């Protein structure tokens, strides 16, 4: 567990991400993270949009199932 602080900056409220937290997320300054409410009631901070990740995974399934047709189409 990593402890962090919540601060007021102007009209906004910000949460400090330590270098350890950035490493854990695989993120760096300037990156976006997404706040997702998990089924277990916890907040999650995935470094990629969960909807995009799901679409990419679905695409991989389609490509795996149809690799022969895709290869034939690539050859022209």
């Amino acid at each position: 567990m990593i402890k962090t602080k919540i601060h007021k900056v102007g009209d906004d409220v910000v949460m400090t991400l330590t270098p350890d937290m950035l490493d854990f997320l695989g993120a760096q300054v300037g990156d976006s993270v997404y706040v997702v409410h998990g089924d277990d009631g916890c907040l999650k901070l995935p470094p990629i949009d969960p909807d995009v990740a799901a679409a990419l995974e679905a695409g991989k399934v389609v490509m795996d199932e149809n690799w022969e047709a895709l290869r034939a189409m690539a050859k022209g």
Side-chain angles (χ1 to χ4, degrees), residues 16-67:
T16 302
L17 298 178
T18 65
D20 289 339
M21 292 171 75
L22 289 174
D23 286 343
F24 183 77
L25 289 170
Q28 54 188 325
V29 174
D31 286 353
S32 296
V33 293
Y34 299 84
V35 179
V36 179
H37 191 262
D39 294 336
D40 57 0
C42 292
L43 292 179
K44 299 175 189 235
L45 299 172
I48 61 170
D49 183 337
D51 293 335
V52 171
L56 289 172
E57 191 59 36
K60 287 179 187 177
V61 170
V62 169
M63 288 186 286
D64 287 347
E65 291 174 353
N66 300 291
W67 70 272

